[in-house]
Amino acid sequence: QACKPVEYGYYLPFPKLYQLSYGPKPGQLWIGGAGVGIGKTDIFTELIAEDMRAGRTAGAFLLEQNPVESVQRVAAKLAGKAFFRPDVEYTEEELQAVMAPYEDRLFIYDHSGSSEWDEIERHIRWLVKAMGVEVIYVDNLTVLAADADDERRFLDGLLKDMKSLATGLGVTVHTLSHLTTPSNGPAHEEGGRVEAKQFTGSRAVMRYADFMWGIERNTQAEDMAIRSTSTFRVLKDRLTGQSAGEVFHLRYDPVSTRMTECPAPPKEGKDDGHQSGEATSYGF
């Protein structure tokens, strides 16, 4: 086994991230973080939609939105149409036609019954063994730890479990974390830099993650181009260590709902010809 050439992981919707990470692989735990409303859940739906296009089977435990909205948001990425917005017209048949090819490849957990980790872990094992699920998404650690008596100890055990699930079941596990408020500098909602130590349960996150990333965006910027452009920052790269600190930028299109790589946003207050209405803000 050791003598075989090392293979890339599976492809990602962002070429720069694929280049930096060599792609996610079975057995890996990927952890992302951002402030409130920055767009981390939107990254998840981009990744899930890419799984669908590539023929992978995914299980999604999206605990901050209901399953109907989750389906609508994934469909939006696949079709380039914002099915989740009330001002966008579509028929039930249209949405069903978008999702029909993927109905056996996407399993979305209905968390109205329980958001307890023990229950979610049981569902993950069943999905992998019975339904052939290859990629797991859990959003997010903060919700799972909400009722814990000792958050630090709970998250340490939780992330150890997630890493064990990834390696033991041979799947890739992606999860998300909220961040603590920066001790100095701008708030995350104003474009403050994401640091590994700001993750909920940061010590456990840094210990068990194979790949860590953060999203930064100034949601209060007057320039719409700035407000709609995120900085994706690599925080940990267990494989080589060389990608840590690397950044690239993503622009959100409110019509197609897609996020695509783009140049760095203009500096706040600089007159670069962008007019209001040229882009728009977003957040989850």
Side-chain angles (χ1 to χ4, degrees):
Q1 294 265 345
C3 296
K4 292 182 179 180
V6 178
E7 297 181 354
Y8 280 79
Y10 59 78
Y11 196 68
L12 292 163
F14 313 122
K16 184 65 175 179
L17 181 57
Y18 183 68
Q19 175 190 340
L20 293 171
S21 67
Y22 301 103
K25 294 182 177 181
Q28 290 186 344
L29 174 60
W30 281 44
I31 304 178
V36 176
I38 303 299
K40 56 187 180 297
T41 305
D42 201 43
I43 296 288
F44 256 24
T45 50
E46 287 283 357
L47 296 177
I48 293 169
E50 181 64 25
D51 289 333
M52 300 301 95
R53 296 187 190 96
R56 289 184 290 274
T57 305
F61 298 77
L62 308 179
L63 305 179
E64 290 194 316
Q65 61 191 30
N66 65 62
V68 171
E69 182 183 350
S70 297
V71 171
Q72 292 169 335
R73 290 189 179 278
V74 173
K77 300 293 187 184
L78 292 167
K81 185 173 183 176
F83 293 109
F84 55 87
R85 284 173 45 178
D87 60 339
V88 174
E89 295 183 1
Y90 65 91
T91 64
E92 289 186 22
E93 292 75 17
E94 182 182 0
L95 180 53
Q96 288 171 352
V98 172
M99 294 305 297
Y102 312 107
E103 62 180 356
D104 295 328
R105 295 211 301 270
L106 176 60
F107 299 88
I108 296 179
Y109 179 66
D110 183 354
H111 55 86
S112 58
S114 174
S115 295
E116 298 294 324
W117 170 243
D118 289 346
E119 184 72 6
I120 289 173
E121 181 180 11
R122 184 176 68 83
H123 276 81
I124 290 173
R125 291 185 181 278
W126 179 81
L127 285 173
V128 174
K129 294 179 179 179
M131 307 307 296
V133 163
E134 303 161 89
V135 191
I136 295 293
Y137 296 88
V138 182
D139 180 12
N140 59 56
L141 297 176
T142 312
V143 173
L144 291 170
D147 297 324
D149 294 329
D150 185 331
E151 182 183 79
R152 182 196 61 78
R153 181 172 295 180
F154 174 84
L155 287 171
D156 190 77
L158 170 62
L159 287 162
K160 182 179 180 181
D161 286 349
M162 285 187 173
K163 178 60 179 174
S164 296
L165 283 173
T167 55
L169 297 175
V171 297
T172 309
V173 176
H174 295 268
T175 191
L176 295 174
S177 173
H178 285 139
L179 304 177
T180 60
T181 303
S183 56
N184 51 60
H188 291 120
E189 293 73 28
E190 297 176 357
R193 179 169 176 165
V194 175
E195 301 178 41
K197 66 181 181 181
Q198 297 165 348
F199 279 57
T200 301
S202 59
R203 289 189 178 182
V205 170
M206 288 186 278
R207 182 181 305 119
Y208 293 109
D210 292 283
F211 198 86
M212 283 179 68
W213 55 267
I215 292 287
E216 302 157 8
R217 182 167 62 89
N218 186 354
T219 66
Q220 304 302 309
E222 293 184 6
D223 189 317
M224 289 295 187
I226 298 175
R227 208 188 299 178
S228 297
T229 305
S230 300
T231 297
F232 190 109
R233 184 178 302 277
V234 179
L235 300 169
K236 178 184 177 181
D237 167 23
R238 187 191 297 276
L239 182 62
T240 68
Q242 297 176 357
S243 294
E246 293 284 344
V247 301
F248 61 94
H249 304 280
L250 298 169
R251 175 68 55 82
Y252 179 79
D253 180 345
V255 177
S256 71
T257 79
R258 297 300 311 278
M259 299 180 76
T260 55
E261 292 182 23
C262 67
K267 297 295 184 180
E268 181 73 71
K270 180 180 178 181
D271 182 8
D272 60 6
H274 288 285
Q275 301 296 320
S276 62
E278 185 173 332
T280 190
S281 62
Y282 69 104
F284 302 94

